Amino acid sequence: FTDVPGFLRWSRSGNRWQDTFYPNNSVDHSILEVADLIFKSRRGIIVTGNLRGAQLDSDGTDSLSGTIAHFSQTIGFPILASVQSGALRREYPVIPYAEHLLKNPLVSNGMQPDLIIQLGNPLISTEISKVIKSNPSAKHVLVQPFYPYERADPDQTV
């Protein structure tokens, strides 16, 4: 029981094991809480996994990728996009070849985010996952549709 990832951190914190907000019952509270985390953050990052539901507009562009890129520029966070993020990897605020850059210890050890916003799941990039795991004090927010048959947070970092 005590070898579950995140148990030691949780047992020392005095907090609930997991704060989960579902749109059906507390959308206002969750949006305000995430907005407050973004406002207080000094070194936030956005990581993206599988962005299901991305659809092309009539002109052939992916509106979801554009929306995420605009959001990133607005709040000033860089995007670490995994290979399954599709067209988002070609957008401006995405760090190109982030998975390769993070293999360098100087880069990966120097990345100390205080807030991680994860859009989509799962993450298949081991390097991006290492950044999340190596920063247990960072707040981690996962935004994705609820899929009851999936483990949305296997590392217990959200």
Side-chain angles (χ1 to χ4, degrees):
F1 170 69
T2 59
D3 63 344
V4 172
F7 177 80
L8 187 59
R9 178 175 39 119
W10 167 78
S11 66
R12 292 180 178 164
S13 72
N15 296 328
R16 292 175 30 176
W17 176 253
Q18 184 174 14
D19 286 324
T20 305
F21 302 103
Y22 295 103
N24 295 341
N25 60 9
S26 61
V27 69
D28 294 334
H29 176 71
S30 60
I31 290 172
L32 291 174
E33 187 168 349
V34 171
D36 187 54
L37 290 172
I38 292 169
F39 179 75
K40 292 178 180 175
S41 174
R42 298 292 173 244
R43 294 182 58 131
I45 61 172
I46 297 172
V47 299
T48 59
N50 187 352
L51 299 174
R52 297 175 222 182
Q55 298 177 4
L56 298 179
D57 291 339
S58 59
D59 62 351
T61 60
D62 176 9
S63 62
L64 180 60
S65 295
T67 302
I68 293 170
H70 181 72
F71 174 69
S72 170
Q73 290 175 20
T74 301
I75 64 174
F77 290 5
I79 298 174
L80 305 176
S82 68
V83 296
Q84 69 220 94
S85 300
L88 179 63
R89 294 173 59 90
R90 295 186 297 270
E91 295 289 339
Y92 162 66
V94 173
I95 298 173
Y97 309 105
E99 292 146 345
H100 300 291
L101 291 171
L102 291 171
K103 289 183 180 184
N104 182 321
L106 292 174
V107 175
S108 60
N109 293 337
M111 185 169 285
Q112 301 293 321
D114 59 357
L115 175 61
I116 301 164
I117 299 175
Q118 179 179 338
L119 305 174
N121 197 50
L123 291 175
I124 61 171
S125 168
T126 56
E127 301 305 320
I128 294 175
S129 295
K130 284 180 190 175
V131 168
I132 295 171
K133 290 180 202 174
S134 66
N135 290 287
S137 63
K139 300 288 185 186
H140 184 177
V141 177
L142 171 62
V143 179
Q144 77 154 17
F146 178 65
Y147 298 103
Y149 51 86
E150 287 184 5
R151 291 186 64 196
D153 184 30
D155 295 320
Q156 299 294 317
T157 58
V158 174

